[in-house]
Amino acid sequence: LVAVLAVLVGGTVTTPGFASGENAAAILLSASITGIVAVAMTPMILSGHFVSIAGSASGALAAVCFIGVVNRGLGVPIACLVTLFVLTAIGIAQGVVVSAGLNPILTTLAATTVILGVMLSLTGGTNLSLGSRAPSWGNLEVLGLQLPVYAFLLVTATVVVFMRNTVLGRQIMLFGANSNTARISGIPRMRIALVVFVIFSLGVALAGILWAAQLGVAGVGTLPNLTVSSIAAVLIGGNAIQGGVG
């Protein structure tokens, strides 16, 4: 907290306009996509046994999938549904594999390789563009803040309520704190794996959709730092890498 305050004070003193509302809104916007993925990854980290390094590839796939479906003339709502379905299916597949005992890092690394290969095959390595088909809400601004910021706040509130006030959320925390106790209590590893991977996949899908809707372009190289940034954000936010505390 002291370090954050020092940065804020230093920025205000040395940089004109640093403390302005416009700059604060810009900072929130730039952090919102990473924030959505980080929050969606939090249940995975808190479970103590799972992690994904497929964030960047999955985010790029979500953006490419959204743009690709829109460009086929199927409309934005269908594109959103297809993107959510595709990413959820990928998340379920990874959850099933990991719950069987395979290393989550190796599993998600393999998923990353497959995802990138599929995207390269479908796009030929070029970027897709929405052009005139870009949705009007892509750059929607309400009270000085753009849509991704509100999406980030909504996702954060939803995950907090889920983890604190639902049976499944508390089971994830127990699994992270003591997996042996969780198993004795009748909490299956597969259930936890599937839930945390699906939550993560939905968050990545939303981030990719918002990115594509706002910028109107996406490709294999979209969101290259998303994996590292989101994991760092989860850990800096106070969530224990061993799980059970956060």
Side-chain angles (χ1 to χ4, degrees), residues 14-85:
T14 60
T15 307
F18 181 84
S20 66
E22 292 81 2
N23 188 57
I27 293 173
L28 285 173
L29 178 61
S30 65
S32 59
I33 298 298
T34 299
I36 290 171
V37 176
V39 171
M41 184 185 284
T42 298
M44 182 181 289
I45 297 296
L46 291 177
S47 72
H49 296 268
F50 309 115
V51 68
S52 176
I53 59 172
S56 296
S58 298
L61 176 63
V64 167
C65 183
F66 176 78
I67 293 177
V69 175
V70 171
N71 285 347
R72 287 186 174 273
L74 297 178
V76 171
I78 297 298
C80 290
L81 291 175
V82 170
T83 302
L84 290 170
F85 175 80

Short mmCIF file of all heavy atoms in Angstrom, two decimals, residues 14-85:
data_model
loop_
_atom_site.label_atom_id
_atom_site.label_comp_id
_atom_site.label_asym_id
_atom_site.label_seq_id
_atom_site.Cartn_x
_atom_site.Cartn_y
_atom_site.Cartn_z
N THR A 14 5.30 14.72 -10.62
CA THR A 14 6.22 14.82 -11.76
C THR A 14 5.55 14.84 -13.13
O THR A 14 6.17 15.28 -14.10
CB THR A 14 7.21 13.63 -11.74
OG1 THR A 14 6.47 12.40 -11.82
CG2 THR A 14 8.02 13.64 -10.45
N THR A 15 4.29 14.39 -13.20
CA THR A 15 3.63 14.27 -14.50
C THR A 15 2.35 15.09 -14.53
O THR A 15 1.40 14.77 -13.81
CB THR A 15 3.29 12.80 -14.82
OG1 THR A 15 4.48 12.01 -14.70
CG2 THR A 15 2.72 12.68 -16.23
N PRO A 16 2.30 16.13 -15.35
CA PRO A 16 1.07 16.92 -15.46
C PRO A 16 -0.09 16.06 -15.96
O PRO A 16 0.05 15.29 -16.91
CB PRO A 16 1.44 17.99 -16.51
CG PRO A 16 2.94 18.07 -16.45
CD PRO A 16 3.40 16.67 -16.15
N GLY A 17 -1.22 16.17 -15.30
CA GLY A 17 -2.41 15.43 -15.72
C GLY A 17 -2.47 14.01 -15.21
O GLY A 17 -3.42 13.29 -15.51
N PHE A 18 -1.48 13.60 -14.42
CA PHE A 18 -1.46 12.21 -13.94
C PHE A 18 -2.66 11.91 -13.06
O PHE A 18 -3.22 10.81 -13.11
CB PHE A 18 -0.16 11.96 -13.15
CG PHE A 18 -0.04 10.54 -12.63
CD1 PHE A 18 0.45 9.53 -13.45
CD2 PHE A 18 -0.42 10.22 -11.32
CE1 PHE A 18 0.57 8.23 -12.97
CE2 PHE A 18 -0.31 8.92 -10.85
CZ PHE A 18 0.18 7.93 -11.67
N ALA A 19 -3.06 12.87 -12.25
CA ALA A 19 -4.17 12.66 -11.31
C ALA A 19 -5.52 13.02 -11.90
O ALA A 19 -6.52 13.06 -11.19
CB ALA A 19 -3.92 13.47 -10.03
N SER A 20 -5.56 13.29 -13.20
CA SER A 20 -6.82 13.69 -13.83
C SER A 20 -7.76 12.50 -13.98
O SER A 20 -7.33 11.34 -14.01
CB SER A 20 -6.55 14.31 -15.21
OG SER A 20 -6.03 13.33 -16.09
N GLY A 21 -9.04 12.77 -14.11
CA GLY A 21 -10.02 11.72 -14.31
C GLY A 21 -9.80 10.99 -15.61
O GLY A 21 -10.00 9.77 -15.70
N GLU A 22 -9.38 11.71 -16.65
CA GLU A 22 -9.14 11.08 -17.96
C GLU A 22 -8.01 10.07 -17.87
O GLU A 22 -8.09 8.97 -18.45
CB GLU A 22 -8.80 12.15 -19.01
CG GLU A 22 -9.95 13.07 -19.37
CD GLU A 22 -10.14 14.19 -18.37
OE1 GLU A 22 -9.34 14.27 -17.39
OE2 GLU A 22 -11.09 14.97 -18.53
N ASN A 23 -6.96 10.41 -17.14
CA ASN A 23 -5.84 9.48 -17.02
C ASN A 23 -6.23 8.26 -16.19
O ASN A 23 -5.85 7.13 -16.50
CB ASN A 23 -4.64 10.17 -16.37
CG ASN A 23 -3.39 9.30 -16.38
OD1 ASN A 23 -2.95 8.87 -17.44
ND2 ASN A 23 -2.83 9.04 -15.21
N ALA A 24 -7.00 8.48 -15.14
CA ALA A 24 -7.46 7.36 -14.32
C ALA A 24 -8.33 6.42 -15.16
O ALA A 24 -8.21 5.19 -15.05
CB ALA A 24 -8.25 7.88 -13.13
N ALA A 25 -9.19 6.99 -16.01
CA ALA A 25 -10.04 6.16 -16.86
C ALA A 25 -9.20 5.37 -17.86
O ALA A 25 -9.49 4.20 -18.14
CB ALA A 25 -11.05 7.04 -17.60
N ALA A 26 -8.15 6.01 -18.39
CA ALA A 26 -7.27 5.32 -19.34
C ALA A 26 -6.53 4.17 -18.67
O ALA A 26 -6.35 3.09 -19.26
CB ALA A 26 -6.28 6.32 -19.94
N ILE A 27 -6.09 4.38 -17.43
CA ILE A 27 -5.39 3.33 -16.69
C ILE A 27 -6.32 2.15 -16.43
O ILE A 27 -5.95 0.98 -16.61
CB ILE A 27 -4.83 3.87 -15.36
CG1 ILE A 27 -3.71 4.88 -15.63
CG2 ILE A 27 -4.31 2.73 -14.49
CD1 ILE A 27 -3.20 5.59 -14.40
N LEU A 28 -7.55 2.45 -16.03
CA LEU A 28 -8.53 1.39 -15.78
C LEU A 28 -8.83 0.60 -17.05
O LEU A 28 -8.93 -0.63 -17.03
CB LEU A 28 -9.82 1.99 -15.22
CG LEU A 28 -9.78 2.45 -13.76
CD1 LEU A 28 -11.07 3.19 -13.41
CD2 LEU A 28 -9.59 1.25 -12.84
N LEU A 29 -8.94 1.32 -18.16
CA LEU A 29 -9.23 0.65 -19.43
C LEU A 29 -8.10 -0.28 -19.84
O LEU A 29 -8.33 -1.42 -20.26
CB LEU A 29 -9.47 1.69 -20.53
CG LEU A 29 -9.74 1.13 -21.93
CD1 LEU A 29 -11.00 0.27 -21.92
CD2 LEU A 29 -9.86 2.27 -22.94
N SER A 30 -6.86 0.19 -19.69
CA SER A 30 -5.72 -0.62 -20.10
C SER A 30 -5.56 -1.85 -19.22
O SER A 30 -5.02 -2.88 -19.66
CB SER A 30 -4.44 0.22 -20.07
OG SER A 30 -4.13 0.62 -18.74
N ALA A 31 -6.02 -1.76 -17.98
CA ALA A 31 -5.88 -2.89 -17.05
C ALA A 31 -7.08 -3.82 -17.05
O ALA A 31 -7.01 -4.91 -16.48
CB ALA A 31 -5.65 -2.36 -15.63
N SER A 32 -8.16 -3.41 -17.69
CA SER A 32 -9.42 -4.15 -17.55
C SER A 32 -9.37 -5.54 -18.19
O SER A 32 -9.88 -6.51 -17.61
CB SER A 32 -10.58 -3.35 -18.14
OG SER A 32 -10.36 -3.05 -19.51
N ILE A 33 -8.76 -5.67 -19.39
CA ILE A 33 -8.71 -6.97 -20.05
C ILE A 33 -7.89 -7.97 -19.23
O ILE A 33 -8.32 -9.09 -18.97
CB ILE A 33 -8.12 -6.84 -21.47
CG1 ILE A 33 -9.01 -5.94 -22.34
CG2 ILE A 33 -7.96 -8.21 -22.11
CD1 ILE A 33 -10.40 -6.46 -22.55
N THR A 34 -6.71 -7.53 -18.79
CA THR A 34 -5.90 -8.38 -17.93
C THR A 34 -6.63 -8.68 -16.63
O THR A 34 -6.59 -9.81 -16.12
CB THR A 34 -4.55 -7.70 -17.62
OG1 THR A 34 -3.83 -7.50 -18.84
CG2 THR A 34 -3.71 -8.55 -16.67
N GLY A 35 -7.32 -7.66 -16.10
CA GLY A 35 -8.05 -7.83 -14.85
C GLY A 35 -9.13 -8.88 -14.95
O GLY A 35 -9.33 -9.69 -14.03
N ILE A 36 -9.87 -8.88 -16.06
CA ILE A 36 -10.93 -9.88 -16.25
C ILE A 36 -10.36 -11.29 -16.21
O ILE A 36 -10.88 -12.18 -15.54
CB ILE A 36 -11.67 -9.62 -17.58
CG1 ILE A 36 -12.50 -8.35 -17.49
CG2 ILE A 36 -12.56 -10.81 -17.95
CD1 ILE A 36 -13.08 -7.89 -18.81
N VAL A 37 -9.27 -11.50 -16.93
CA VAL A 37 -8.65 -12.83 -16.99
C VAL A 37 -8.06 -13.20 -15.63
O VAL A 37 -8.17 -14.36 -15.19
CB VAL A 37 -7.57 -12.88 -18.09
CG1 VAL A 37 -6.87 -14.22 -18.09
CG2 VAL A 37 -8.20 -12.61 -19.45
N ALA A 38 -7.44 -12.23 -14.95
CA ALA A 38 -6.85 -12.51 -13.64
C ALA A 38 -7.92 -12.91 -12.63
O ALA A 38 -7.74 -13.86 -11.86
CB ALA A 38 -6.09 -11.28 -13.14
N VAL A 39 -9.03 -12.21 -12.64
CA VAL A 39 -10.12 -12.54 -11.70
C VAL A 39 -10.70 -13.91 -12.03
O VAL A 39 -10.98 -14.71 -11.14
CB VAL A 39 -11.21 -11.46 -11.75
CG1 VAL A 39 -12.43 -11.90 -10.95
CG2 VAL A 39 -10.68 -10.14 -11.20
N ALA A 40 -10.86 -14.20 -13.33
CA ALA A 40 -11.38 -15.51 -13.73
C ALA A 40 -10.40 -16.63 -13.40
O ALA A 40 -10.81 -17.78 -13.22
CB ALA A 40 -11.68 -15.51 -15.23
N MET A 41 -9.12 -16.31 -13.31
CA MET A 41 -8.11 -17.31 -12.96
C MET A 41 -8.02 -17.53 -11.45
O MET A 41 -7.51 -18.55 -10.99
CB MET A 41 -6.74 -16.88 -13.49
CG MET A 41 -5.63 -17.90 -13.25
SD MET A 41 -4.02 -17.31 -13.77
CE MET A 41 -4.17 -17.49 -15.55
N THR A 42 -8.54 -16.60 -10.67
CA THR A 42 -8.40 -16.67 -9.21
C THR A 42 -8.94 -17.97 -8.60
O THR A 42 -8.25 -18.59 -7.79
CB THR A 42 -9.08 -15.45 -8.57
OG1 THR A 42 -8.43 -14.25 -9.02
CG2 THR A 42 -8.98 -15.51 -7.05
N PRO A 43 -10.15 -18.44 -8.97
CA PRO A 43 -10.58 -19.73 -8.41
C PRO A 43 -9.63 -20.87 -8.75
O PRO A 43 -9.42 -21.78 -7.92
CB PRO A 43 -11.96 -19.94 -9.07
CG PRO A 43 -12.44 -18.58 -9.38
CD PRO A 43 -11.21 -17.82 -9.78
N MET A 44 -9.03 -20.83 -9.93
CA MET A 44 -8.07 -21.86 -10.33
C MET A 44 -6.85 -21.85 -9.41
O MET A 44 -6.39 -22.90 -8.94
CB MET A 44 -7.65 -21.63 -11.78
CG MET A 44 -6.69 -22.65 -12.34
SD MET A 44 -6.23 -22.29 -14.04
CE MET A 44 -7.76 -22.66 -14.91
N ILE A 45 -6.33 -20.66 -9.15
CA ILE A 45 -5.17 -20.53 -8.27
C ILE A 45 -5.53 -20.94 -6.84
O ILE A 45 -4.78 -21.64 -6.17
CB ILE A 45 -4.62 -19.09 -8.30
CG1 ILE A 45 -4.12 -18.74 -9.70
CG2 ILE A 45 -3.50 -18.92 -7.27
CD1 ILE A 45 -2.95 -19.56 -10.19
N LEU A 46 -6.70 -20.52 -6.38
CA LEU A 46 -7.12 -20.82 -5.01
C LEU A 46 -7.39 -22.31 -4.82
O LEU A 46 -7.36 -22.80 -3.69
CB LEU A 46 -8.37 -20.02 -4.65
CG LEU A 46 -8.17 -18.51 -4.51
CD1 LEU A 46 -9.48 -17.81 -4.21
CD2 LEU A 46 -7.15 -18.20 -3.41
N SER A 47 -7.64 -23.03 -5.92
CA SER A 47 -7.84 -24.48 -5.80
C SER A 47 -6.54 -25.19 -5.42
O SER A 47 -6.56 -26.33 -4.96
CB SER A 47 -8.38 -25.05 -7.11
OG SER A 47 -7.37 -25.08 -8.10
N GLY A 48 -5.41 -24.51 -5.66
CA GLY A 48 -4.12 -25.01 -5.20
C GLY A 48 -3.47 -26.07 -6.05
O GLY A 48 -2.31 -26.43 -5.82
N HIS A 49 -4.16 -26.60 -7.04
CA HIS A 49 -3.61 -27.71 -7.80
C HIS A 49 -3.65 -27.48 -9.31
O HIS A 49 -3.18 -28.33 -10.06
CB HIS A 49 -4.36 -29.00 -7.47
CG HIS A 49 -4.21 -29.42 -6.04
ND1 HIS A 49 -3.23 -30.27 -5.60
CD2 HIS A 49 -4.92 -29.05 -4.94
CE1 HIS A 49 -3.34 -30.43 -4.28
NE2 HIS A 49 -4.37 -29.71 -3.87
N PHE A 50 -4.18 -26.36 -9.72
CA PHE A 50 -4.35 -26.12 -11.15
C PHE A 50 -3.87 -24.72 -11.52
O PHE A 50 -3.97 -23.78 -10.73
CB PHE A 50 -5.83 -26.26 -11.55
CG PHE A 50 -6.46 -27.55 -11.07
CD1 PHE A 50 -7.47 -27.53 -10.15
CD2 PHE A 50 -6.00 -28.76 -11.55
CE1 PHE A 50 -8.05 -28.70 -9.69
CE2 PHE A 50 -6.56 -29.96 -11.11
CZ PHE A 50 -7.59 -29.92 -10.18
N VAL A 51 -3.35 -24.61 -12.73
CA VAL A 51 -2.94 -23.32 -13.27
C VAL A 51 -2.97 -23.45 -14.79
O VAL A 51 -2.87 -24.56 -15.33
CB VAL A 51 -1.52 -22.93 -12.78
CG1 VAL A 51 -0.48 -23.87 -13.38
CG2 VAL A 51 -1.21 -21.48 -13.10
N SER A 52 -3.14 -22.35 -15.46
CA SER A 52 -3.16 -22.37 -16.93
C SER A 52 -2.18 -21.37 -17.48
O SER A 52 -2.13 -20.23 -17.04
CB SER A 52 -4.57 -22.05 -17.45
OG SER A 52 -4.56 -21.98 -18.86
N ILE A 53 -1.39 -21.83 -18.45
CA ILE A 53 -0.49 -20.91 -19.16
C ILE A 53 -0.99 -20.71 -20.60
O ILE A 53 -0.24 -20.30 -21.48
CB ILE A 53 0.96 -21.42 -19.16
CG1 ILE A 53 1.05 -22.80 -19.81
CG2 ILE A 53 1.51 -21.45 -17.75
CD1 ILE A 53 2.48 -23.28 -19.99
N ALA A 54 -2.28 -21.01 -20.79
CA ALA A 54 -2.87 -20.87 -22.13
C ALA A 54 -3.66 -19.58 -22.28
O ALA A 54 -4.44 -19.44 -23.21
CB ALA A 54 -3.77 -22.07 -22.43
N GLY A 55 -3.48 -18.63 -21.36
CA GLY A 55 -4.27 -17.41 -21.39
C GLY A 55 -4.12 -16.60 -22.67
O GLY A 55 -5.10 -16.18 -23.27
N SER A 56 -2.88 -16.40 -23.09
CA SER A 56 -2.63 -15.59 -24.29
C SER A 56 -3.21 -16.24 -25.53
O SER A 56 -3.91 -15.59 -26.33
CB SER A 56 -1.13 -15.37 -24.47
OG SER A 56 -0.59 -14.61 -23.41
N ALA A 57 -2.95 -17.53 -25.70
CA ALA A 57 -3.45 -18.24 -26.88
C ALA A 57 -4.98 -18.29 -26.87
O ALA A 57 -5.63 -18.10 -27.91
CB ALA A 57 -2.88 -19.65 -26.93
N SER A 58 -5.56 -18.54 -25.70
CA SER A 58 -7.02 -18.61 -25.60
C SER A 58 -7.66 -17.25 -25.85
O SER A 58 -8.72 -17.16 -26.50
CB SER A 58 -7.43 -19.14 -24.22
OG SER A 58 -6.94 -20.45 -24.02
N GLY A 59 -7.05 -16.20 -25.33
CA GLY A 59 -7.57 -14.85 -25.57
C GLY A 59 -7.52 -14.49 -27.05
O GLY A 59 -8.48 -13.91 -27.59
N ALA A 60 -6.42 -14.84 -27.70
CA ALA A 60 -6.30 -14.59 -29.14
C ALA A 60 -7.35 -15.39 -29.90
O ALA A 60 -7.98 -14.88 -30.84
CB ALA A 60 -4.90 -14.95 -29.62
N LEU A 61 -7.54 -16.65 -29.50
CA LEU A 61 -8.55 -17.49 -30.17
C LEU A 61 -9.94 -16.90 -30.01
O LEU A 61 -10.73 -16.89 -30.97
CB LEU A 61 -8.51 -18.90 -29.59
CG LEU A 61 -9.58 -19.85 -30.13
CD1 LEU A 61 -9.39 -20.08 -31.63
CD2 LEU A 61 -9.55 -21.18 -29.38
N ALA A 62 -10.25 -16.40 -28.82
CA ALA A 62 -11.57 -15.80 -28.59
C ALA A 62 -11.79 -14.60 -29.50
O ALA A 62 -12.85 -14.45 -30.12
CB ALA A 62 -11.70 -15.39 -27.13
N ALA A 63 -10.78 -13.75 -29.61
CA ALA A 63 -10.90 -12.57 -30.46
C ALA A 63 -11.03 -12.95 -31.93
O ALA A 63 -11.86 -12.40 -32.66
CB ALA A 63 -9.68 -11.65 -30.26
N VAL A 64 -10.22 -13.92 -32.36
CA VAL A 64 -10.27 -14.38 -33.76
C VAL A 64 -11.60 -15.06 -34.05
O VAL A 64 -12.21 -14.83 -35.11
CB VAL A 64 -9.10 -15.34 -34.04
CG1 VAL A 64 -9.29 -16.07 -35.36
CG2 VAL A 64 -7.77 -14.57 -34.06
N CYS A 65 -12.07 -15.86 -33.13
CA CYS A 65 -13.34 -16.56 -33.31
C CYS A 65 -14.49 -15.56 -33.43
O CYS A 65 -15.35 -15.69 -34.31
CB CYS A 65 -13.58 -17.51 -32.14
SG CYS A 65 -15.08 -18.49 -32.27
N PHE A 66 -14.50 -14.57 -32.56
CA PHE A 66 -15.55 -13.55 -32.59
C PHE A 66 -15.57 -12.82 -33.92
O PHE A 66 -16.62 -12.69 -34.57
CB PHE A 66 -15.33 -12.56 -31.44
CG PHE A 66 -16.29 -11.41 -31.43
CD1 PHE A 66 -17.59 -11.57 -30.95
CD2 PHE A 66 -15.92 -10.16 -31.91
CE1 PHE A 66 -18.48 -10.50 -30.94
CE2 PHE A 66 -16.80 -9.09 -31.90
CZ PHE A 66 -18.09 -9.27 -31.42
N ILE A 67 -14.41 -12.35 -34.36
CA ILE A 67 -14.33 -11.62 -35.61
C ILE A 67 -14.69 -12.51 -36.79
O ILE A 67 -15.41 -12.11 -37.71
CB ILE A 67 -12.92 -11.01 -35.79
CG1 ILE A 67 -12.68 -9.92 -34.74
CG2 ILE A 67 -12.76 -10.42 -37.20
CD1 ILE A 67 -11.30 -9.31 -34.79
N GLY A 68 -14.20 -13.75 -36.76
CA GLY A 68 -14.47 -14.67 -37.86
C GLY A 68 -15.95 -14.95 -38.03
O GLY A 68 -16.46 -14.96 -39.16
N VAL A 69 -16.68 -15.16 -36.93
CA VAL A 69 -18.11 -15.43 -37.02
C VAL A 69 -18.88 -14.19 -37.47
O VAL A 69 -19.79 -14.28 -38.29
CB VAL A 69 -18.64 -15.93 -35.66
CG1 VAL A 69 -20.16 -16.10 -35.70
CG2 VAL A 69 -17.98 -17.25 -35.29
N VAL A 70 -18.49 -13.03 -36.95
CA VAL A 70 -19.16 -11.79 -37.37
C VAL A 70 -18.95 -11.56 -38.86
O VAL A 70 -19.89 -11.20 -39.58
CB VAL A 70 -18.62 -10.59 -36.57
CG1 VAL A 70 -19.13 -9.27 -37.17
CG2 VAL A 70 -19.05 -10.68 -35.11
N ASN A 71 -17.74 -11.79 -39.34
CA ASN A 71 -17.44 -11.57 -40.76
C ASN A 71 -18.17 -12.54 -41.68
O ASN A 71 -18.29 -12.29 -42.88
CB ASN A 71 -15.93 -11.67 -41.00
CG ASN A 71 -15.19 -10.44 -40.50
OD1 ASN A 71 -15.80 -9.41 -40.19
ND2 ASN A 71 -13.87 -10.53 -40.39
N ARG A 72 -18.65 -13.63 -41.14
CA ARG A 72 -19.45 -14.57 -41.94
C ARG A 72 -20.92 -14.15 -42.00
O ARG A 72 -21.75 -14.86 -42.59
CB ARG A 72 -19.32 -15.98 -41.38
CG ARG A 72 -17.97 -16.61 -41.66
CD ARG A 72 -17.94 -18.07 -41.21
NE ARG A 72 -16.68 -18.70 -41.62
CZ ARG A 72 -16.48 -19.28 -42.78
NH1 ARG A 72 -17.44 -19.30 -43.69
NH2 ARG A 72 -15.32 -19.83 -43.08
N GLY A 73 -21.22 -13.02 -41.40
CA GLY A 73 -22.56 -12.49 -41.48
C GLY A 73 -23.56 -13.08 -40.51
O GLY A 73 -24.77 -12.92 -40.68
N LEU A 74 -23.07 -13.76 -39.48
CA LEU A 74 -23.98 -14.41 -38.53
C LEU A 74 -24.42 -13.49 -37.40
O LEU A 74 -25.26 -13.87 -36.59
CB LEU A 74 -23.32 -15.67 -37.96
CG LEU A 74 -22.99 -16.75 -39.00
CD1 LEU A 74 -22.30 -17.92 -38.32
CD2 LEU A 74 -24.26 -17.21 -39.70
N GLY A 75 -23.84 -12.31 -37.33
CA GLY A 75 -24.26 -11.35 -36.32
C GLY A 75 -23.44 -11.42 -35.05
O GLY A 75 -22.84 -12.46 -34.72
N VAL A 76 -23.45 -10.32 -34.32
CA VAL A 76 -22.67 -10.21 -33.09
C VAL A 76 -23.18 -11.14 -31.98
O VAL A 76 -22.36 -11.80 -31.32
CB VAL A 76 -22.65 -8.75 -32.60
CG1 VAL A 76 -22.04 -8.64 -31.21
CG2 VAL A 76 -21.86 -7.88 -33.59
N PRO A 77 -24.49 -11.24 -31.72
CA PRO A 77 -24.94 -12.15 -30.66
C PRO A 77 -24.52 -13.60 -30.89
O PRO A 77 -24.06 -14.28 -29.96
CB PRO A 77 -26.47 -12.01 -30.70
CG PRO A 77 -26.70 -10.65 -31.27
CD PRO A 77 -25.62 -10.48 -32.29
N ILE A 78 -24.66 -14.08 -32.13
CA ILE A 78 -24.23 -15.44 -32.44
C ILE A 78 -22.73 -15.58 -32.27
O ILE A 78 -22.24 -16.60 -31.76
CB ILE A 78 -24.64 -15.83 -33.88
CG1 ILE A 78 -26.15 -15.82 -34.03
CG2 ILE A 78 -24.08 -17.20 -34.25
CD1 ILE A 78 -26.86 -16.81 -33.14
N ALA A 79 -21.98 -14.56 -32.67
CA ALA A 79 -20.52 -14.60 -32.52
C ALA A 79 -20.13 -14.70 -31.05
O ALA A 79 -19.20 -15.45 -30.70
CB ALA A 79 -19.90 -13.36 -33.15
N CYS A 80 -20.83 -13.97 -30.19
CA CYS A 80 -20.54 -14.05 -28.76
C CYS A 80 -20.82 -15.45 -28.22
O CYS A 80 -20.01 -16.02 -27.48
CB CYS A 80 -21.38 -13.02 -28.00
SG CYS A 80 -20.91 -11.30 -28.29
N LEU A 81 -21.96 -16.02 -28.61
CA LEU A 81 -22.33 -17.35 -28.14
C LEU A 81 -21.36 -18.41 -28.64
O LEU A 81 -20.96 -19.31 -27.88
CB LEU A 81 -23.76 -17.69 -28.59
CG LEU A 81 -24.88 -16.88 -27.93
CD1 LEU A 81 -26.22 -17.23 -28.55
CD2 LEU A 81 -24.91 -17.14 -26.43
N VAL A 82 -20.99 -18.33 -29.91
CA VAL A 82 -20.05 -19.31 -30.47
C VAL A 82 -18.70 -19.21 -29.77
O VAL A 82 -18.09 -20.24 -29.42
CB VAL A 82 -19.88 -19.08 -31.99
CG1 VAL A 82 -18.72 -19.92 -32.53
CG2 VAL A 82 -21.17 -19.43 -32.72
N THR A 83 -18.23 -18.00 -29.53
CA THR A 83 -16.95 -17.80 -28.86
C THR A 83 -16.98 -18.38 -27.45
O THR A 83 -16.06 -19.08 -27.02
CB THR A 83 -16.59 -16.31 -28.80
OG1 THR A 83 -16.54 -15.78 -30.15
CG2 THR A 83 -15.23 -16.10 -28.14
N LEU A 84 -18.04 -18.09 -26.71
CA LEU A 84 -18.18 -18.62 -25.36
C LEU A 84 -18.23 -20.15 -25.38
O LEU A 84 -17.61 -20.81 -24.54
CB LEU A 84 -19.44 -18.07 -24.70
CG LEU A 84 -19.41 -16.57 -24.34
CD1 LEU A 84 -20.80 -16.10 -23.92
CD2 LEU A 84 -18.40 -16.30 -23.22
N PHE A 85 -18.95 -20.71 -26.36
CA PHE A 85 -19.05 -22.17 -26.46
C PHE A 85 -17.70 -22.80 -26.77
O PHE A 85 -17.30 -23.80 -26.14
CB PHE A 85 -20.06 -22.54 -27.55
CG PHE A 85 -20.15 -24.02 -27.80
CD1 PHE A 85 -20.89 -24.84 -26.96
CD2 PHE A 85 -19.48 -24.60 -28.88
CE1 PHE A 85 -20.95 -26.21 -27.18
CE2 PHE A 85 -19.55 -25.97 -29.12
CZ PHE A 85 -20.28 -26.77 -28.26
#
